[in-house]
Amino acid sequence: MTVAGAIAWGHGVLASDEFTECSKVCEILLAHAADRDWSWISLNGQRALSTSELEEFRSLVFACATGTPVQYLVRATEFFGLELKVERGVYVPKWETELLVEEALSFLEAPQLSDLTWGMSRTRAVIHEVGTGSGAIAISIARHAPATAISASDVSAFALSLAQANARLNGVAGRIRFCRGDLQDPLAGVPDLVVANLPYIREGEISDLPTNVRVQPRSSLVSRCSGLGHINRLLENLTIKPGGRVMLEIGFDQASGVQSICSGNPKLSYERTVKDLAGLDRVAVIAAL
């Protein structure tokens, strides 16, 4: 079977509502099976695959069809233009979360906000990321905002080891301090910016998620109190400089709930909600008073 034939076969196996980019998924899996770069696929459509390459590809496609995330199968993903290692047992960063990074970088780059929050006498903005997982958010910020001191936490030792490996892979290992613990508890200093993609799926909604999401760590997905339990705990015990910002990824219908949490805290003011490319509420921006 040729490369093009294998892609067509895989497309037929994966074609469903859960796989909106079947051809791209098949190309990624075949490149991995053949131990080649993804660009090799488009240049070698008529090349015959070896028996071992074809068997490996078929195995990957069937695993993907039964719900294993493609990122787990190839043990890698791309986020904000960076290559990251991904392993089973650690949440796979999704493209929507890139909006959170964009908002963080915009805040850090705004001159008027820089003067307000960390002042001209300081050269490094202090950032806390809580629930770092693979390290995607902290690493992306570190790569694009060098004048920052970043600390990132997670309760999972395995996730932290993966995040540290990703920091080394992307040349920012010396720029991020990874700490094991809950939320901000293990993080030192008073930050100018807190960013987080915490669990926000309601407990009763887990069964409605696509299979390739449900197989990811439940602790990275589900939160109590209508999905706002983790966010509520973070904001209740928040450490941040006056004038700083908290940026949180949220569910499409959770902005009002986060606003309610902020309204009960005299040190916080809900600033705005940022929508993603699908027009859904995605990031909550909160000002520290």
Side-chain angles (χ1 to χ4, degrees), residues 61-85:
V61 169
F62 285 133
C64 192
T66 56
T68 303
V70 61
Q71 296 90 345
Y72 284 171
L73 294 171
V74 302
R75 301 176 67 185
T77 193
E78 183 179 298
F79 182 85
F80 214 72
L82 304 176
E83 181 182 345
L84 299 173
K85 297 179 179 180

Side-chain angles (χ1 to χ4, degrees), residues 14-29:
L14 295 179
S16 72
D17 291 340
E18 291 193 9
F19 293 97
T20 56
E21 296 183 299
C22 293
S23 295
K24 180 179 179 180
V25 169
C26 289
E27 289 172 2
I28 292 171
L29 294 177

